[in-house]
Amino acid sequence: MKKVLKVTAWIVGIAIVLIGSTAAYINFAPAPTYDPPAIPDLKVEVTPERIAQGARLASVLCVVCHAGKDGKLSGQEMLDLPKEFGKIYTFNITQHPEKGIGKWTDGELYTFLRTGLRKDGSFSGIMPKFANMAEEDVYSIIAWLHSNEPKLQPSEKDNPTHDLTLLSKGLLKFMFKPLPMPAKPIPLPDTTNQIEWGRYLANSSFSCFACHSADFKTTNDLEPEKSGGFYGGGNPMLDFNGNVIPSRNLTPDKETGIGNWTEAQFVTTVRQGMRPDGTLLRYPMLPYGVLTEAEVKAIYGYLKTVPAIKNEVK
């Protein structure tokens, strides 16, 4: 009996040492670095059409997170991220040559938007990566970043470095990795195929799945359908006051999802911010009037095809 207890004590002791060593490594070892990426020789033609499309995409993907108190996209603390990630700050993406992205080439911008890698090999694990976005839409975002948009004019604002928790450091070391460059150019979707178009808009363009799946920790940017709880909602997001606002179940489950919603109800909710019961959306969900009615109908059509998940989100 004493021998069994002794062996058990040894096993427990070794386990404690291993856990403690792993935690210490995660907490104190520097963030992973990667080889500097191959930057494509790219020059995006800036046209009014691209600027307009880039502004539409950015209004959903960039503006809210990067909005600074100076009225420009100079970055801020992300107060709507769960506290378990620590204090996360978005970066200055104005055209300032030193504090912002004024000196970034189009190839560097393209690489960062696709992979999350900067030219020196440093990696942004928090920033969404648009691995499946069509070339033309990525070019449109780059064109918009070069535009005369007042919010993009140079700001000298510096933001603090992230104050990451042990969880965030572990995710960056073991789970959140740079994404590969597309093997070939990605075309725009066939807009006459509503399901294909809706899938592109929801997953590849506006990244609806990221918030409306189970948790940011299990989001799969490269293969969205493999995200945990794909469109089943429940992701514990926050409003600016720190209140937990879990994302809604958008699967076609009739009891806990949007299975009983009509197309018209979905369009009104997304574009005008009013739910079928007459209540208004709450932040972090916003009304997106920049999306056309046809686009929202396509997203609705696609969501009706995803596997239903019974998940009541209170």
Side-chain angles (χ1 to χ4, degrees):
M1 183 65 177
K2 291 183 178 179
K3 186 176 181 180
V4 172
L5 291 174
K6 189 174 182 179
V7 171
T8 302
W10 271 101
I11 292 173
V12 171
I14 291 171
I16 291 173
V17 170
L18 288 174
I19 292 171
S21 299
T22 302
Y25 165 74
I26 292 172
N27 193 48
F28 297 111
T33 57
Y34 301 89
D35 292 335
I39 303 297
D41 183 12
L42 175 66
K43 183 61 179 175
V44 173
E45 181 183 1
V46 177
T47 66
E49 293 76 19
R50 280 178 171 166
I51 292 174
Q53 173 64 357
R56 277 194 347 119
L57 292 167
S59 69
V60 178
L61 301 171
C62 313
V63 171
V64 173
C65 290
H66 286 277
K69 292 182 179 179
D70 57 3
K72 299 179 181 180
L73 299 186
S74 55
Q76 61 170 316
E77 182 182 351
M78 296 191 69
L79 298 174
D80 53 350
L81 274 182
K83 300 300 184 185
E84 60 183 334
F85 290 107
K87 290 187 176 181
I88 309 294
Y89 299 88
T90 57
F91 290 98
N92 184 336
I93 61 169
T94 71
Q95 295 164 5
H96 193 283
E98 305 299 337
K99 309 293 186 180
I101 58 173
K103 287 185 178 179
W104 286 43
T105 68
D106 289 354
E108 290 167 0
L109 291 170
Y110 180 89
T111 301
F112 184 71
L113 290 169
R114 287 290 196 199
T115 70
L117 283 173
R118 303 177 185 89
K119 67 177 180 179
D120 62 358
S122 60
F123 172 59
S124 175
I126 303 299
M127 170 75 183
K129 289 157 281 293
F130 307 106
N132 300 314
M133 185 179 279
E135 300 294 305
E136 183 57 35
D137 278 345
V138 178
Y139 293 168
S140 292
I141 293 175
I142 294 172
W144 171 75
L145 288 169
H146 290 314
S147 73
N148 293 323
E149 167 68 51
K151 293 184 177 68
L152 292 168
Q153 300 317 299
S155 168
E156 295 189 355
K157 181 183 175 185
D158 272 323
N159 289 297
T161 56
H162 302 320
D163 183 11
L164 302 177
T165 62
L166 186 66
L167 171 64
S168 290
K169 292 177 181 178
L171 290 171
L172 287 172
K173 284 183 171 66
F174 301 116
M175 294 185 65
F176 292 169
K177 302 291 183 182
L179 298 185
M181 281 284 212
K184 58 184 179 180
I186 301 174
L188 287 167
D190 177 6
T191 57
T192 64
N193 183 327
Q194 189 185 54
I195 304 304
E196 179 186 337
W197 188 22
R199 179 179 184 275
Y200 172 78
L201 292 168
N203 295 348
S204 304
S205 182
F206 294 110
S207 298
C208 309
F209 76 95
C211 293
H212 284 280
S213 295
D215 198 299
F216 287 126
K217 296 189 290 292
T218 55
T219 296
N220 190 324
D221 289 315
L222 196 59
E223 299 177 277
E225 291 85 355
K226 293 184 179 180
S227 297
F230 185 59
Y231 280 113
N235 193 352
M237 305 178 71
L238 301 180
D239 65 14
F240 286 126
N241 295 316
N243 301 308
V244 176
I245 309 292
S247 60
R248 187 181 184 93
N249 183 343
L250 296 185
T251 72
D253 182 70
K254 291 185 178 297
E255 295 179 7
T256 63
I258 60 169
N260 291 322
W261 286 37
T262 66
E263 179 183 75
Q265 289 172 334
F266 186 78
V267 170
T268 299
T269 301
V270 173
R271 299 192 73 237
Q272 299 178 25
M274 182 174 291
R275 303 186 189 93
D277 63 4
T279 59
L280 299 176
L281 295 178
R282 295 183 296 171
Y283 185 87
M285 183 64 189
L286 299 169
Y288 292 115
V290 295
L291 274 68
T292 67
E293 184 172 327
E295 286 174 327
V296 181
K297 286 180 177 180
I299 293 172
Y300 173 83
Y302 165 67
L303 290 175
K304 298 288 280 187
T305 71
V306 305
I309 295 177
K310 189 172 294 296
N311 180 33
E312 183 176 359
V313 179
K314 296 183 179 179

